[in-house]
């Protein structure tokens, strides 16, 4: 039989040497790889008879990597980049999308996805198999390229192997065991029995094997620029696979494989399906050695980075890869350190990244930014997500809902100068201190990462790129009913919930991760695929799972220290001995640190957290309160503008009321987390079109 998709003979056009994820025209392979290149028609022999063409060919494969910010619906681009499908994050308890034209809204929240539809990461339409085939073409032909050193040839092969492993992991994390492709098929062989779906074990060993083969022929890191420029030409090698990337991906694969989804005494569904019986979606048993192997893989990465002791008080600082550190002990500096750690292309926190360098329509290079403005990418944080972020000291967030308005949080807090803060009626900032009309200072009350993962009421519009400070006179986000920003997105002036579609703040919070401000618009924006802070949290999880609670806590606490939070055990000493509780806290920390990175979705599935899928999610309705002769009176007007200009003080008292999200309420919210209709969602359905081709694709349980 001739397969039409999984081993589809197509490739991206040869492109410039800059590493990009770009939407380019397909060129077709037959038995001989023919494509149009500058100057005429070029065959496969011609391509691999030129060192420059070979390098460009590899760049084209880089263009088929996973890019995690949906921004376009251009023909031929991967499903995961199409904003009409959406991000995995919106399937978690952290975000709710309010654009009704997305697959998330129409098929996932309604629980109507089936095997005839493309999931958010598509088995067929995410350029995975095209990338795999082209990587093998390079591996099989690069040795005959003239004018290229043996060292460079081995390096290019190693990069290609990493690209294959990464593309496999993108599907493995969502589908389980995969067909194991070991060469560049032409699509005309006639017999594909060897390409039947592999087991979980076979798929894991295949990916890990590729990375182990590659690591010895890759540099530990490419050039990390320390300049202030964001000119893409300063980062010619940023985004290329490195030994660090190979080891980090290996650790992530093994951590995923050791997790309860695959590593358990019981299959996640019911054990009766062919996929379960043939071990395509689990190992068939629980083995603690899998966690040990994952921990050793993390240790291998850190040792190569010059860090051998997970108990070190300096862990996270001083290696080629490290946490981006604050310049001073202030909330703004903590925010800036966190922000520049992931957004800055020269950051030593980024292990591997992918990027977009095309212009889509009239929107400019970084179209994700525009779609946020339009409300299409309004991945609105939920109350459940916001409550994961602790107080600014690191103390777990608590909110006494029984108090009358204005709500009084239960904690007594101090700022970084050890001054007690007045927090009555405040969830996000202390009441501003003033001199006449001028706001002198207000202190953030919460984990600085909150303000970098969600826009909250009272937050300044800008955190200056260069200085890392906020201007107390700057415009603030007014997310109360009638405020400048939220307006009536959430509720009307009678308090009735509206929760509008295709608006930016229908949950009472807004998207900021990767959105930020105008200064980031039209940048060559990368998406972080692997990062150093994620590695620390992976090591923490693996250490906890293998019984080393103290070392696990140190890894987490090093991440928290970067934003000024005290150690977790300061507030809960039982974390030093209660493994399950510690792992739960690590998962929460991962959500706070790794927002918009797919990791909450991965955590939900690999830990089989049906309770995260089925719990009802909430927004926050905020009402501005004004003191009128000793009484708090509701007021539904903006502040910035006429009121501020006439000397009215910045509002500092609000009534906070949670409301259950209803547009659209997810069908899963009414279901039992142990129901098989929930459990099936831990892996996506295999496409029925591929199953029907008969080469060995077996459907995942429940689909």
């Amino acid at each position: 039989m001739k397969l039409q998709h999984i081993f589809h003979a197509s490739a991206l056009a040869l492109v410039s040497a800059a590493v990009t994820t770009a939407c380019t025209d397909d060129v077709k392979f037959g038995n001989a790889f023919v494509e149009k290149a500058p100057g005429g028609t070029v065959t496969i022999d011609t391509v691999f008879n030129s060192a420059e063409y070979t390098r460009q060919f590899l760049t084209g494969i880089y263009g088929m990597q996973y890019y995690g910010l949906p921004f376009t619906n251009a023909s031929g681009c991967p499903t995961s980049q199409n904003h009409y499908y959406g991000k995995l994050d919106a399937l978690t308890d952290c975000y709710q999308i309010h654009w009704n034209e997305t697959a998330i809204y129409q098929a996932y929240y309604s629980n109507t996805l089936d095997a005839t539809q493309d999931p958010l990461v598509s088995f067929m339409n995410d350029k995975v198999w095209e990338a795999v085939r082209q990587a093998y073409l390079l591996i099989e032909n690069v040795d005959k390229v003239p004018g290229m050193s043996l060292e460079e040839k081995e390096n290019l092969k190693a990069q290609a192997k990493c690209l294959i492993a990464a593309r496999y992991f993108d599907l493995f994390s969502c589908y389980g065991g995969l067909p194991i492709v070991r060469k560049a098929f032409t699509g005309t062989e006639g017999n594909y029995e060897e390409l039947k779906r592999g087991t979980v074990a076979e798929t894991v060993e295949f990916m890990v094997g590729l990375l182990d083969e590659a690591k010895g022929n890759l540099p530990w890191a490419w050039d990390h620029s320390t300049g202030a420029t964001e000119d893409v030409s300063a980062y010619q090698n940023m985004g290329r696979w490195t030994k660090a990337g190979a080891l980090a991906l290996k650790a992530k694969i093994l951590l995923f494989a050791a997790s309860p989804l695959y590593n358990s005494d019981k299959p996640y569904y019911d054990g009766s399906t062919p996929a379960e019986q043939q071990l395509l979606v689990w190992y068939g048993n629980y083995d603690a050695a899998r966690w040990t192997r994952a921990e050793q893989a993390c240790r291998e990465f850190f040792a190569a980075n010059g860090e051998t002791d997970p108990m070190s008080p300096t862990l996270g600082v001083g290696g080629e890869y490290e946490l981006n550190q604050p310049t001073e002990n202030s909330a703004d500096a903590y925010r800036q350190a966190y922000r520049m750690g992931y957004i800055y292309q020269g950051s030593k926190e980024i292990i591997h990244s992918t990027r977009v360098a095309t212009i889509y329509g009239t929107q400019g290079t970084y179209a994700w930014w525009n779609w946020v403005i339009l409300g299409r990418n309004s991945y609105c944080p939920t109350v459940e997500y916001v409550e994961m972020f602790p107080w600014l000291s690191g103390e777990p967030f608590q909110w006494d809902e029984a108090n009358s308005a204005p709500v009084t949080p239960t904690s007594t807090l101090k700022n970084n100068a050890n001054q007690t803060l007045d927090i009555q009626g405040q969830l996000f900032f202390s009441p501003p201190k003033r001199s006449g009309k001028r706001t002198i200072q207000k202190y953030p009350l919460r984990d600085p990462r909150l303000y970098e993962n969600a826009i909250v009421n009272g937050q300044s519009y800008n955190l200056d790129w260069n200085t890392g400070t906020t201007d107390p006179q700057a415009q603030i986000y007014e997310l109360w009913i009638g405020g400048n920003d939220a307006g009536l997105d959430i509720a009307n002036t009678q308090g009735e919930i509206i929760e509008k579609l295709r608006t930016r703040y229908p949950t009472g919070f807004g998207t900021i991760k990767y959105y930020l401000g105008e200064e980031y618009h039209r940048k060559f924006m990368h998406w972080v695929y692997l990062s150093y802070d994620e590695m620390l949290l992976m090591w923490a999880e693996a250490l906890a799972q293998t019984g080393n609670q103290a070392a696990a806590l140190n890894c987490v606490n090093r991440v928290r220290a970067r934003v000024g939070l005290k150690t977790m055990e300061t507030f809960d000493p039982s974390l030093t001995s209660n493994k399950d509780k510690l792992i739960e806290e690590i998962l929460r920390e991962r959500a706070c640190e790794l927002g918009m990175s797919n990791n909450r979705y991965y955590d939900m599935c690999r830990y089989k957290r049906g309770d995260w899928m089925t719990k009802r999610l909430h927004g926050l309705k905020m009402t501005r309160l004004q003191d009128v002769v000793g009484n708090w009176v509701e007021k539904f007007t903006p502040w910035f503008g006429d009121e501020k200009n006439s000397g009215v003080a910045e509002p500092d008292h609000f009534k906070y009321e949670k409301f259950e999200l209803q547009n659209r309420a997810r069908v899963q919210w009414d279901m039992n987390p142990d129901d098989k209709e929930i459990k099936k969602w831990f892996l996506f359905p295999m496409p029925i079109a591929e199953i029907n081709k008969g080469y060995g694709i077996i459907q995942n349980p429940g689909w």
Side-chain angles (χ1 to χ4, degrees):
M1 71 193 73
K2 183 177 179 180
L3 305 186
Q4 298 299 316
H5 218 300
I6 184 173
F7 309 112
H8 178 56
S10 66
L12 292 185
L14 296 179
V15 293
S16 67
V19 181
T20 63
T21 297
C23 301
T24 56
D25 294 333
D26 279 357
V27 294
K28 303 299 180 183
F29 285 96
N31 292 328
F33 172 55
V34 178
E35 77 149 323
K36 292 288 185 181
T41 300
V42 179
T43 67
I44 189 170
D45 292 330
T46 306
V47 169
F48 291 108
N49 196 40
S50 162
E52 185 58 29
Y53 271 18
T54 301
R55 296 181 190 112
Q56 291 176 1
F57 183 75
L58 177 63
T59 296
I61 308 172
Y62 272 96
M64 288 181 278
Q65 292 180 106
Y66 180 86
Y67 181 77
L69 302 176
F71 73 100
T72 182
N73 63 339
S75 175
C77 274
T79 298
S80 57
Q81 292 178 19
N82 191 330
H83 56 260
Y84 281 94
Y85 282 83
K87 276 185 66 60
L88 294 169
D89 301 88
L91 303 181
T92 72
D93 54 350
C94 294
Y95 302 93
Q96 180 86 346
I97 199 165
H98 283 75
W99 184 31
N100 60 348
E101 295 183 48
T102 61
I104 291 173
Y105 192 97
Q106 295 178 355
Y108 288 81
Y109 291 174
S110 66
N111 202 38
T112 59
L113 183 76
D114 60 37
T116 67
Q117 303 174 58
D118 254 345
L120 303 187
V121 178
S122 173
F123 185 86
M124 295 166 58
N125 296 318
D126 249 289
K127 301 288 186 184
V128 171
W129 304 112
E130 292 90 336
V132 168
R133 183 174 192 277
Q134 290 184 63
Y136 276 119
L137 281 173
L138 185 142
I139 292 168
E140 293 165 6
N141 288 279
V142 71
D143 283 338
K144 65 185 181 184
V145 177
M148 182 181 287
S149 68
L150 177 61
E151 181 182 14
E152 183 178 1
K153 290 176 181 179
E154 293 303 313
N155 175 264
L156 266 56
K157 288 181 190 177
Q159 291 184 56
K161 290 175 182 178
C162 290
L163 287 162
I164 295 170
R167 294 274 47 197
Y168 260 78
F169 176 72
D170 297 335
L171 293 188
F172 173 75
S173 59
C174 297
Y175 292 92
L178 301 166
I180 309 299
V181 181
R182 301 184 186 277
K183 63 180 181 179
F185 286 82
T186 66
T188 60
E189 282 83 1
N191 182 4
Y192 293 94
E193 288 303 314
E194 65 183 285
L195 296 176
K196 66 183 181 180
R197 189 174 175 189
T199 65
V200 164
E202 289 168 341
T203 307
V204 169
E205 296 312 312
F206 173 66
M207 293 184 288
V208 170
L210 286 170
L211 296 169
D212 279 338
E213 290 172 12
K215 65 186 181 184
N217 292 301
L218 294 168
W220 176 241
W222 293 110
D223 49 316
H224 278 123
S225 172
T226 57
T229 178
E230 277 293 287
D231 180 359
V232 73
S233 64
Y235 307 99
Q236 289 295 332
N237 289 318
M238 291 291 102
R240 295 281 178 179
W241 279 97
T242 60
K243 180 179 179 180
L247 294 185
L249 181 56
K250 174 183 173 181
K252 189 165 187 172
I253 290 167
L254 291 174
L255 191 86
F256 212 108
S259 300
L261 177 67
Y262 295 141
N263 185 25
S264 175
D265 285 332
K266 294 181 180 180
Y268 71 86
Y269 195 66
D270 66 4
S272 68
T273 66
E276 292 168 298
Q277 293 171 355
Q278 296 180 36
L279 304 184
L280 307 181
V281 293
W282 70 312
Y283 275 105
N285 68 336
Y286 172 78
D287 188 347
R290 295 186 184 112
W291 280 114
T292 300
R293 188 182 181 194
E295 192 278 322
Q296 290 171 344
C298 292
R299 192 176 292 268
E300 181 183 8
F301 169 88
F302 283 99
N305 198 47
E307 301 170 295
T308 57
D309 183 6
M311 290 296 294
S312 170
T314 60
L315 183 67
V317 181
E320 179 65 34
Y321 296 92
E322 62 180 353
L323 291 174
N324 192 47
Q325 295 298 318
T327 56
E328 62 182 26
N329 182 27
S330 72
D332 283 350
Y334 295 142
R335 283 184 59 187
Q336 183 77 344
Y338 175 87
R339 174 182 292 192
M340 300 307 283
Y342 82 87
I343 208 72
Y344 180 46
Q345 294 201 44
S347 171
K348 295 176 71 173
E349 200 165 312
I350 298 168
I351 298 172
H352 188 71
S353 60
T354 60
R355 55 193 41 75
V356 170
T358 55
I359 293 179
Y360 172 58
T362 60
Q363 304 304 323
T365 300
Y366 185 33
W368 163 267
W369 193 94
N370 300 80
W371 295 128
V372 171
I373 295 291
L374 295 171
R376 292 184 174 187
N377 284 345
S378 57
Y379 291 84
C380 297
T382 62
V383 165
E384 283 69 20
Y385 187 31
V386 170
E387 289 184 341
M388 294 180 195
F389 293 89
W391 295 107
L392 84 167
S393 63
E395 179 182 353
F397 176 78
Q398 293 181 344
W399 180 19
D400 185 355
E401 296 177 275
N403 284 318
S404 59
V407 173
T408 305
T410 58
S411 295
T412 300
L413 301 178
K414 294 185 178 182
N415 63 20
N416 293 320
N418 205 35
Q419 299 167 320
T420 300
L421 302 179
D422 173 11
I423 62 172
Q424 185 178 19
Q426 305 297 323
L427 295 179
F428 309 117
F429 297 95
S430 65
K433 295 181 179 180
R434 302 183 181 90
S435 175
K437 297 180 182 180
R438 180 175 174 81
T439 297
I440 301 299
Q441 185 66 61
K442 64 180 182 183
Y443 291 100
L445 298 177
R446 302 286 291 279
D447 179 344
R449 296 174 298 184
L450 170 60
Y451 311 100
E452 293 297 309
N453 282 280
I455 294 171
V456 302
N457 190 48
Q459 187 166 323
S460 172
Y461 265 35
N462 296 308
L463 179 69
D464 186 84
W465 170 289
N466 295 311
T467 65
T469 59
T470 52
D471 179 359
Q473 295 301 298
Q475 186 169 356
I476 62 170
Y477 286 101
E478 301 181 7
L479 303 187
W480 61 82
I481 301 171
N484 264 316
D485 299 283
L488 302 180
D489 286 0
I490 305 160
N492 60 26
T493 55
Q494 287 73 50
E496 298 171 323
I497 299 299
I498 296 174
E499 200 184 340
K500 288 182 180 178
L501 291 174
R502 200 169 169 174
T503 52
R504 289 191 62 193
Y505 309 103
T507 65
F509 307 104
T511 302
I512 191 170
K513 191 77 178 280
Y514 284 107
Y515 161 70
L516 304 171
E518 175 66 31
E519 70 271 24
Y520 297 91
H521 193 196
R522 294 187 174 88
K523 300 290 182 184
F524 293 93
M525 188 58 64
H526 61 207
W527 185 74
V528 178
Y529 190 83
L530 292 163
S531 60
Y532 183 86
D533 53 346
E534 181 185 358
M535 280 302 306
L536 280 172
L537 293 173
M538 286 200 296
W539 202 10
E541 181 185 345
L543 287 163
Q545 288 283 6
T546 53
N548 194 339
Q549 317 295 85
L553 280 164
N554 188 59
C555 291
V556 179
N557 289 333
R558 294 301 299 160
V559 175
R560 286 163 60 92
R562 187 259 293 275
V563 290
L565 305 182
K566 295 179 182 177
T567 66
M568 289 200 297
E569 61 270 30
T570 298
F571 307 104
D572 187 353
S574 72
L575 294 176
T576 61
S577 58
N578 189 323
K579 180 179 112 172
D580 291 341
K581 195 172 185 180
L582 175 56
I583 290 169
E584 192 71 13
E585 280 298 290
I586 290 171
L587 295 180
R588 182 198 55 74
E589 277 291 317
R590 283 171 58 85
C592 294
E593 179 72 21
L594 305 174
M596 278 287 174
S597 66
N598 294 344
N599 277 291
R600 185 66 171 179
Y601 177 80
Y602 293 152
D603 293 351
M604 179 175 70
C605 294
R606 66 192 180 90
Y607 272 91
K608 301 187 288 191
R609 296 303 295 264
D611 56 324
W612 293 359
M613 289 184 179
T614 55
K615 68 181 178 184
R616 289 189 166 269
L617 303 179
H618 297 80
L620 190 65
K621 182 177 74 173
M622 286 158 281
T623 308
R624 177 183 173 185
L625 301 173
Q626 187 174 43
D627 188 357
V628 178
V629 196
N631 295 313
W632 293 108
V633 177
E634 295 180 347
K635 190 170 185 180
F636 305 102
T637 58
W639 171 71
F640 196 89
D642 291 343
E643 284 194 10
K644 180 178 184 293
N645 294 339
S646 63
V648 175
E650 179 182 326
D652 58 14
H653 280 73
F654 302 92
K655 179 169 63 176
Y656 300 99
E657 301 170 88
K658 295 181 186 179
F659 66 90
E660 193 173 280
L661 297 177
Q662 48 194 285
N663 194 355
R664 134 179 287 182
R666 307 182 199 179
V667 170
Q668 290 98 325
W669 290 347
D670 291 322
M671 300 175 70
N672 183 331
D674 294 322
D675 193 308
K676 288 193 292 186
E677 280 299 302
I678 291 297
K679 292 179 178 180
K680 76 176 186 180
W681 285 95
F682 296 142
L683 292 176
F684 285 154
M686 288 289 185
I688 193 68
E690 291 299 294
I691 293 171
N692 290 341
K693 290 173 184 175
Y695 62 90
I697 297 297
I698 293 173
Q699 186 56 275
N700 280 334
W703 298 101

